[in-house]
Amino acid sequence: MENFKFDIEKNDITIIPEKKITKKEKSFLESIENSKIKNKDTVVEYTLDEIYGIIGSKEDLEGFLEKFVKKRINITVFENNKEVYFASFPFVDFYIKVENNYKFYLSKAIEFIKEKNIFGEINILSTVLFKEKGSNSIYLEILKNKSKGSFIKEIDIFKKMIGIDIDNYERFYDFEKAVIKPIIEDINKLTDYSIQYEKIKKSAGITSKIKELKFTFYHKKFNNISLETDKLVNKLINKVTSFVSVTKLIEKSIINNGFEYVKNNLEYILENHTSPLDEHIKKGLEEDLYNKSKMKNENYLLVQEINDKFSHLFIFESRIYKELLKCKFYYNYHFLKILHKLKADEILKYKDENFKIEALYHSETKEGIIKIYKKQDEK
């Protein structure tokens, strides 16, 4: 996987569920994806009643979940009509039930693909959740033209692109209502892009036929961060080799990590490195050099130690939460990501500017260990 890099300009891609996804499964998958985006986490929790509310019925839940966790997604990439890449993985790796609470661990493969940036901006789950047949094609066309912010298609070419016979929908009104508007709604709802279209006629006459469609779009998050990006990149003028490349790095990092994260790292780089800063900025934003520098040579005092037997990993995680609350530790995405990857007989290690946490879970026959350290106040 790491050796492959998708190029939307030269590669064609199909993203298809191995088996048909039912309406209830799609609703559940959409809820999981929305929760993941909202909480920036790869683990999603529901109560029994919440799941019933999402799928809209009180059916055999265990049977539903058994089928759901077996559903897989297949990705095939072609270059010059030849298959050059194939991947297959589940949406959910597994789930845990404790009484009436369910905990779903999302596919590590999806996160791996995202972290390695194998398919660029393509949101794998969005492509599966689209309701309309042609939404995937338009979504990929957006990504292909993202630097332009628009593209124009003749009506017949547009129909062919989304898999509709050019003889279908002779009346544009019917085509617009049944096909175009639902696709626009799909993309606006399920992707990071907002898209709209305008009709271009053959001539200025009232009865003139629609000849082309012009689609314009923008990235929802980019639209909100342009001013913040400007504030940061202005400090880098004449200090980088490729101003355009560095600006893109900064925009992407603001989206993923927030403005303060980027601001702190850039200020650290400006103070500690000389021009050109391109590689220093790339490393700083990827590795959070600002916080790494703050944590050097800091002393931590052990404030809580637990040695106890735990019947399940889920119970062990709950105990960690409980002990951290006593120490007034406020959760963040980086810690939760590490915690949810914890496995039996593997040591969890986490450190930030205020806390250091170590934990080891064994089977129920051996004692688990939780150690919480807190930074000592400077005298």
Side-chain angles (χ1 to χ4, degrees):
M1 279 189 180
E2 293 184 69
N3 296 326
F4 177 81
K5 184 69 175 178
F6 177 78
D7 184 347
I8 200 163
E9 296 297 329
K10 70 177 182 179
N11 296 134
D12 295 314
I13 186 170
T14 61
I15 304 171
I16 304 171
E18 190 176 60
K19 295 180 180 178
K20 185 178 179 182
I21 301 177
T22 67
K23 188 175 180 180
K24 290 178 181 179
E25 288 171 339
K26 189 168 282 191
S27 295
F28 192 50
L29 186 59
E30 185 174 355
S31 174
I32 287 175
E33 173 68 354
N34 290 338
S35 179
K36 185 192 79 170
I37 293 171
K38 181 179 179 181
N39 299 312
K40 295 183 179 179
D41 200 358
T42 57
V43 180
V44 178
E45 297 182 53
Y46 294 107
T47 64
L48 179 63
D49 289 339
E50 285 172 338
I51 297 177
Y52 283 143
I54 294 165
I55 64 177
S57 67
K58 291 191 174 183
E59 59 178 56
D60 172 18
L61 184 58
E62 300 306 321
F64 168 82
L65 294 177
E66 182 68 20
K67 291 179 181 178
F68 177 76
V69 297
K70 289 180 180 178
K71 292 292 172 79
R72 301 178 68 84
I73 186 168
N74 293 341
I75 301 177
T76 310
V77 178
F78 302 89
E79 189 172 325
N80 298 324
N81 296 318
K82 180 183 177 182
E83 181 183 311
V84 293
Y85 179 95
F86 177 79
S88 180
F89 45 83
F91 298 113
V92 174
D93 285 334
F94 63 94
Y95 74 93
I96 295 171
K97 176 188 175 186
V98 178
E99 296 181 349
N100 285 328
N101 296 293
Y102 292 77
K103 195 170 186 178
F104 295 87
Y105 289 74
L106 309 189
S107 172
K108 288 183 179 178
I110 293 178
E111 292 305 307
F112 176 85
I113 284 172
K114 183 178 178 181
E115 287 175 6
K116 296 297 180 182
N117 201 29
I118 294 174
F119 296 112
E121 284 188 49
I122 296 178
N123 186 318
I124 302 299
L125 285 185
S126 287
T127 62
V128 175
L129 293 171
F130 284 139
K131 295 178 181 178
E132 304 303 320
K133 179 182 178 182
S135 297
N136 255 326
S137 298
I138 301 304
Y139 176 52
L140 293 175
E141 195 69 22
I142 287 173
L143 298 180
K144 192 178 292 186
N145 292 278
K146 63 180 181 179
S147 62
K148 301 175 185 176
S150 66
F151 59 90
I152 297 175
K153 295 291 177 183
E154 291 183 7
I155 296 298
D156 287 351
I157 293 175
F158 178 75
K159 284 183 176 180
K160 185 178 179 181
M161 184 173 70
I162 62 176
I164 292 178
D165 194 288
I166 59 174
D167 294 327
N168 287 351
Y169 298 103
E170 290 186 5
R171 286 204 316 160
F172 183 83
Y173 173 83
D174 297 329
F175 182 52
E176 183 177 37
K177 183 179 178 180
V179 180
I180 301 173
K181 287 185 176 179
I183 287 175
I184 296 298
E185 184 180 344
D186 233 3
I187 291 170
N188 286 339
K189 180 182 178 183
L190 294 170
T191 76
D192 290 330
Y193 287 88
S194 179
I195 185 171
Q196 57 187 10
Y197 67 97
E198 61 179 283
K199 296 165 271 190
I200 302 173
K201 292 185 176 184
K202 286 184 177 180
S203 63
I206 297 175
T207 58
S208 178
K209 275 193 167 187
I210 307 296
K211 179 186 177 184
E212 298 172 324
L213 293 171
K214 181 179 181 180
F215 295 89
T216 56
F217 55 88
Y218 64 84
H219 195 293
K220 296 169 186 173
K221 291 180 181 177
F222 279 175
N223 199 49
N224 295 327
I225 66 169
S226 57
L227 290 176
E228 293 179 337
T229 304
D230 289 344
K231 291 176 187 176
L232 295 174
V233 298
N234 285 338
K235 298 179 180 180
L236 304 175
I237 294 174
N238 300 323
K239 295 182 179 179
V240 296
T241 304
S242 177
F243 195 74
V244 174
S245 298
V246 169
T247 300
K248 288 181 178 179
L249 276 175
I250 291 172
E251 286 178 340
K252 184 177 179 181
S253 190
I254 290 175
I255 288 173
N256 294 330
N257 305 301
F259 180 76
E260 286 302 315
Y261 173 96
V262 177
K263 177 176 175 289
N264 290 336
N265 275 287
L266 287 182
E267 288 178 349
Y268 171 80
I269 291 161
L270 284 165
E271 289 174 6
N272 293 278
H273 296 282
T274 56
S275 303
L277 297 174
D278 305 56
E279 288 303 314
H280 297 301
I281 290 171
K282 185 175 186 293
K283 184 176 181 180
L285 295 179
E286 287 178 352
E287 300 181 15
D288 193 7
L289 294 182
Y290 168 74
N291 271 314
K292 280 188 176 179
S293 68
K294 286 183 67 177
M295 288 188 287
K296 283 182 179 178
N297 303 318
E298 291 180 343
N299 295 318
Y300 293 84
L301 178 68
L302 181 64
V303 293
Q304 190 70 281
E305 182 173 1
I306 306 297
N307 293 274
D308 202 353
K309 291 181 180 179
F310 299 91
S311 60
H312 200 283
L313 181 59
F314 187 42
I315 305 299
F316 182 67
E317 289 182 11
S318 298
R319 183 62 178 274
I320 293 176
Y321 285 132
K322 182 178 178 181
E323 299 303 326
L324 287 172
L325 283 173
K326 292 179 184 177
C327 300
K328 297 181 180 180
F329 173 84
Y330 300 100
Y331 302 129
N332 59 61
Y333 168 67
H334 299 290
F335 171 70
L336 290 174
K337 190 174 182 180
I338 292 169
L339 177 62
H340 293 319
K341 288 182 178 179
L342 179 63
K343 296 178 181 178
D345 302 316
E346 289 186 4
I347 299 174
L348 175 152
K349 289 187 177 182
Y350 171 84
K351 185 168 72 171
D352 61 26
E353 57 190 281
N354 295 310
F355 287 90
K356 185 168 71 172
I357 302 163
E358 296 176 356
L360 175 62
Y361 170 76
H362 291 297
S363 65
E364 59 184 69
T365 57
K366 292 183 180 180
E367 285 190 344
I369 303 167
I370 301 170
K371 291 183 178 181
I372 302 171
Y373 301 80
K374 196 168 183 179
K375 182 184 172 185
Q376 297 183 67
D377 295 329
E378 295 181 5
K379 296 181 180 179

